Amino acid sequence: MNRSKLASGTAILIALSLAGPATGAAWASSTDTDQDPTKLVKVVKSEASAAERSDALTKLEQLATTDPDAKRRLAELYLAGEGVDGDAAKAVMLLEEAGADGSTAALRKLASLYRSGEVVEQDRNKALALTRQAAELNDPWAQLSLSDTLRKGDGIEQDVEAAISWLEKSAAAGNATAQLRLGSFLADGKLVPQDEGRAIELLEKSAAKGNVGAKIQLAGLLMRGDAERSDPKRGVQLLREAAEGGNDKAKLQLAEILVSGELIEPDVDQGTALLEELSAGGDTAATKALLALHSGGEVPEDGGRIVELQTRLADAGDADAMVRLGEIYRDGIIVPADLPRSLEYFRAAEESGSSRAWRRVAEAAFRGFGEDADADKAVAILRAEIDKGNLDASIYLADILAAGDYIDADLEAARELYESAAEGGKVNAHKQLARLYLAGAFGAAQKINARDHLTAAIDKGDEASVVTLANAHLSGSFGRQSDARLGLNLLQDGRQKGISSATTTLAEVYFRGRGVGRDAAQAVRILTEEADKGNAAAARALIEAYRSGKGKSFPPSAPRARAALEKYAGLLNEAQKTRETFLLDARLAASLDQYELLDEKIASLPVSQRRGYIEALRSSNQNAYVYVVQKGLKKAGLYDGPINGLLTSSTIRAIREICDSGPSGERCRMGPLHSAAAKVVSARLEAIY
């Protein structure tokens, strides 16, 4: 070898060695950056020196003269105003040039600008044309975008067939999002013929590319027991992968599976932990799932936790949670009752647009729950709802006007409201109108009008109206047009169809001998047979019959009532069992100590339930009723006599005084122990405890 050349080569190597690796790397990096639009853009947008950024911009502009992608990236810099002064016009010009040179990414970007109208004047047709141009150049993302636009018909004529065709092309090109979308369509079969096998294949391809949505969709198919290729174990594994990747939807589904244990071994602790994590992050679905768990699910009920979770939902703007919190604080079931706080939640729910809060706010004003009773205010709330077209508010106000417990009764106004609601299709309005007519509110001659309203309700599928119509015939409410035989047949048919109220009414017919011979044994047989089949209404009617009796032919029997309550306890919910136990205890109470226990029970009830218990107490034990009323009158400052359960003259005067303090006081003139008087008295006393 020529020694001079060898020496020269060695000298070069030594020089490079002395320069160190950094110099060589910088040289290579500089060369790479000069030809790489992405790296040049990064330098322009970086915190490098002004000279370096200016140099990178110059090189990008030079590169853009021959490279459509560089031109597109330069346009995006001018659009964003990052590293350069913003220049929308220049950006659009560059995008148009890049698109003309074949950059599908530039065409897609330009299409998005015309679609949004933020930089250029909105032109959906031009946006569609640009997207189609890119799609025809085989750009998978443009094909997907074109498919979406054609499918939705967003500002253009909808073309589902063409949309699916373009989606097929995008999916075939390997676009994971297109594969997910097409797989979803094939799975549900709404836009294309259902093909679960192909759906799974497409979702598998998309999931293999890491598409989390595809993993979740595929998991849903595989976990279905009736799927073509059911594989619950793999489905759960896909959910785990998506959840571990941070997907909240997957976490929620996985948590529900872990808690239920339907597909895998249950792990309530892990499932609950996932729900807690999601809930703490503001996921309302997770919070609702936690509420379900704490309200009788796998996790023991925790009143404080329930309130905490409902509060979390309410703070997030959930109007239904606000209503529920209002009910919780009103009723004092899992937290101490707090009527003012309850009203605050109801009002907040109303402001948030709750479809239920108006009723609670009006109720609070009528009944003095959390504020002084103000009937005018309550009526104004309801009138405002009625003006919005709320037919339920019309019925509620009509109920109040018909009853006359909280405001003066106005039967004509009630009828008008019911009729407007009935014309609007409300079945309950027909039922309430029938009730008023049958009660003779508009005269005996108009009772026949009830038949038309009951028929209308029946035509709308209301089974209870069949029973009311039958009862009216048996009671002779329609005068000469009454047909006892028809009434009996309606009840018997209703019983065969499983209408609970038909069974209890039929039994009452035999107890009272209306349209048939009086036959208490037959009535008991009917109720017992149906209760044994699981009819809760029949069970309660049988308990009530034993407790209170049905005239001289069927005297009360506390032991039989107690036995029936124990036998059918499983058919009753907790509220029903509590009430039946209370009424039976009331029936047997015979001392002041026992009356006091009944009074304490009423005082411990949710305020919204007290009135019903006080009224029911009158028919179960009049002395106990008088005792409770005396205590209520004393709390109201209207009675200072002895609390002894005796209807003394001072007690009668106090009852009259509280009756006269509001509407319908004249009902008490029917006698202090009359059912009409009890309605008025209980309405006045319910919020005093």
Side-chain angles (χ1 to χ4, degrees):
M1 180 178 293
N2 189 305
R3 288 183 178 274
S4 63
K5 288 184 178 180
L6 177 61
S8 175
T10 302
I12 292 171
L13 288 173
I14 292 171
L16 288 173
S17 175
L18 290 172
T23 303
W27 174 80
S29 174
S30 175
T31 302
D32 289 345
T33 300
D34 288 351
Q35 301 301 315
D36 190 330
T38 301
K39 292 180 179 179
L40 288 170
V41 167
K42 189 177 292 185
V43 174
V44 173
K45 293 164 64 176
S46 73
E47 296 182 1
S49 67
E52 290 174 313
R53 286 187 279 111
S54 176
D55 181 57
L57 179 60
T58 299
K59 290 175 179 176
L60 182 63
E61 289 173 334
Q62 291 172 348
L63 192 60
T65 60
T66 57
D67 185 341
D69 187 54
K71 191 170 291 185
R72 188 260 304 177
R73 291 182 180 277
L74 182 61
E76 290 175 345
L77 280 180
Y78 282 111
L79 273 177
E82 294 180 305
V84 296
D85 292 334
D87 190 334
K90 186 173 184 178
V92 171
M93 179 190 71
L94 288 168
L95 287 173
E96 288 175 342
E97 291 175 359
D101 290 339
S103 171
T104 56
L107 291 171
R108 283 192 281 110
K109 183 65 179 179
L110 200 55
S112 72
L113 295 179
Y114 279 105
R115 191 179 302 114
S116 68
E118 294 177 3
V119 173
V120 293
E121 186 176 349
Q122 188 178 53
D123 188 335
R124 293 183 183 277
N125 289 325
K126 188 166 186 176
L128 178 64
L130 289 164
T131 304
R132 188 184 295 277
Q133 184 180 344
E136 289 172 346
L137 290 172
N138 296 319
D139 184 300
W141 286 106
Q143 291 168 341
L144 176 62
S145 177
L146 179 59
S147 171
D148 286 344
T149 302
L150 291 170
R151 175 170 54 85
K152 296 174 183 176
D154 186 14
I156 61 158
E157 185 177 350
Q158 188 180 36
D159 190 340
V160 175
E161 185 177 348
I164 297 301
S165 176
W166 283 110
L167 186 60
E168 289 273 11
K169 291 177 181 178
S170 182
N175 186 304
T177 302
Q179 290 167 338
L180 165 60
R181 197 155 299 160
L182 183 56
S184 300
F185 293 157
L186 288 165
D188 66 34
K190 293 178 180 178
L191 288 180
V192 295
Q194 191 173 45
D195 187 340
E196 270 192 15
R198 186 163 178 240
I200 290 174
E201 290 175 6
L202 285 164
L203 293 171
E204 289 277 16
K205 291 178 181 179
S206 183
K209 296 181 177 73
N211 189 305
V212 176
K215 289 182 179 181
I216 296 172
Q217 181 83 10
L218 180 58
L221 282 176
L222 296 176
M223 290 187 297
R224 261 185 36 218
D226 61 344
E228 290 182 14
R229 287 159 53 182
S230 178
D231 189 348
K233 186 176 180 180
R234 180 152 186 274
V236 173
Q237 179 56 36
L238 285 166
L239 270 187
R240 284 190 187 278
E241 291 176 13
E244 288 167 1
N247 185 275
D248 287 349
K249 182 179 179 181
K251 288 180 182 179
L252 180 61
Q253 290 186 27
L254 181 60
E256 291 171 343
I257 290 170
L258 288 167
V259 169
S260 68
E262 292 179 1
L263 297 173
I264 56 175
E265 189 71 23
D267 189 335
V268 176
D269 290 341
Q270 185 184 358
T272 303
L274 279 171
L275 292 176
E276 292 283 4
E277 174 193 336
L278 292 168
S279 176
D283 190 313
T284 56
T287 304
K288 290 177 181 178
L290 280 173
L291 270 170
L293 284 176
H294 284 283
S295 303
E298 296 294 332
V299 178
E301 184 172 340
D302 181 342
R305 185 70 174 129
I306 290 173
V307 172
E308 178 188 345
L309 292 169
Q310 290 285 13
T311 303
R312 185 177 290 175
L313 287 173
D315 290 345
D318 190 310
D320 287 337
M322 296 174 195
V323 172
R324 184 62 189 132
L325 279 169
E327 293 168 345
I328 286 171
Y329 282 107
R330 180 197 65 192
D331 295 343
I333 297 175
I334 56 179
V335 293
D338 187 336
L339 293 180
R341 190 170 186 180
S342 164
L343 184 56
E344 288 177 8
Y345 275 115
F346 288 143
R347 286 173 174 165
E350 185 179 36
E351 291 173 3
S352 297
S354 166
S355 60
R356 296 189 296 144
W358 62 267
R359 183 185 296 272
R360 297 290 179 244
V361 175
E363 179 185 57
F366 272 130
R367 302 171 73 173
F369 293 170
E371 62 180 338
D372 291 338
D374 188 336
D376 290 339
K377 178 180 178 181
V379 170
I381 292 168
L382 295 177
R383 287 292 183 190
E385 285 295 317
I386 292 168
D387 290 343
K388 297 176 188 175
N390 187 334
L391 298 180
D392 289 323
S394 294
I395 294 174
Y396 184 41
L397 180 55
D399 290 344
I400 295 292
L401 289 167
D405 296 336
Y406 302 106
I407 58 176
D408 291 326
D410 188 335
L411 295 178
E412 284 300 330
R415 177 160 60 177
E416 289 179 10
L417 288 165
Y418 283 138
E419 286 175 346
S420 67
E423 289 172 3
K426 287 292 182 179
V427 173
N428 199 41
H430 284 294
K431 294 167 69 174
Q432 292 295 73
L433 278 168
R435 181 185 62 81
L436 282 181
Y437 281 119
L438 289 173
F442 308 108
Q446 293 199 46
K447 285 187 177 183
I448 192 66
N449 291 335
R451 187 174 60 182
D452 294 335
H453 288 290
L454 290 171
T455 301
I458 292 168
D459 289 343
K460 293 179 180 295
D462 187 71
E463 294 179 336
S465 292
V466 174
V467 178
T468 306
L469 180 61
N471 218 7
H473 278 293
L474 286 163
S475 302
S477 298
F478 302 141
R480 292 181 179 179
Q481 296 186 49
S482 298
D483 186 339
R485 174 63 61 183
L486 173 61
L488 188 61
N489 289 338
L490 287 171
L491 291 180
Q492 290 171 336
D493 288 345
R495 182 190 176 192
Q496 292 299 318
K497 292 176 182 177
I499 302 175
S500 296
S501 56
T503 295
T504 56
T505 305
L506 183 61
E508 190 66 20
V509 164
Y510 281 102
F511 274 130
R512 301 299 181 189
R514 290 184 302 168
V516 296
R518 183 173 294 180
D519 190 342
Q522 173 66 359
V524 170
R525 273 195 298 273
I526 291 171
L527 294 176
T528 303
E529 286 175 6
E530 295 299 321
D532 288 344
K533 293 177 185 176
N535 186 325
R540 292 185 68 192
L542 185 60
I543 295 166
E544 190 273 333
Y546 282 132
R547 182 185 69 239
S548 303
K550 293 293 182 180
K552 294 180 180 180
S553 63
F554 194 78
S557 172
R560 287 186 176 182
R562 186 79 68 186
L565 178 55
E566 291 175 359
K567 179 180 179 180
Y568 300 115
L571 299 179
L572 310 182
N573 61 36
E574 288 303 315
Q576 291 170 337
K577 283 188 284 189
T578 298
R579 183 181 175 87
E580 294 300 333
T581 301
F582 172 85
L583 293 175
L584 185 53
D585 289 343
R587 190 76 186 181
L588 298 172
S591 69
L592 294 182
D593 288 342
Q594 291 171 324
Y595 299 162
E596 178 61 22
L597 290 175
L598 295 173
D599 180 76
E600 290 173 1
K601 179 62 182 177
I602 291 173
S604 70
L605 289 168
V607 64
S608 58
Q609 295 180 18
R610 292 173 192 164
R611 178 181 174 182
Y613 272 70
I614 296 172
E615 281 188 51
L617 186 58
R618 180 201 65 86
S619 58
S620 293
N621 188 321
Q622 291 188 346
N623 289 113
Y625 168 75
V626 171
Y627 181 94
V628 168
V629 169
Q630 286 174 333
K631 292 203 71 173
L633 292 169
K634 193 161 192 173
K635 290 175 184 177
L638 299 174
Y639 177 73
D640 59 3
I643 310 296
N644 54 17
L646 300 177
L647 194 62
T648 61
S649 58
S650 58
T651 303
I652 294 173
R653 283 195 299 272
I655 289 174
R656 285 181 177 174
E657 187 174 351
I658 197 169
C659 285
D660 290 341
S661 67
S664 304
E666 73 282 355
R667 295 180 183 177
C668 292
R669 305 297 186 269
M670 302 173 73
L673 297 180
H674 193 280
S675 60
K679 287 182 179 296
V680 177
V681 172
S682 60
R684 304 280 196 274
L685 294 179
E686 63 182 337
I688 290 176
Y689 281 89

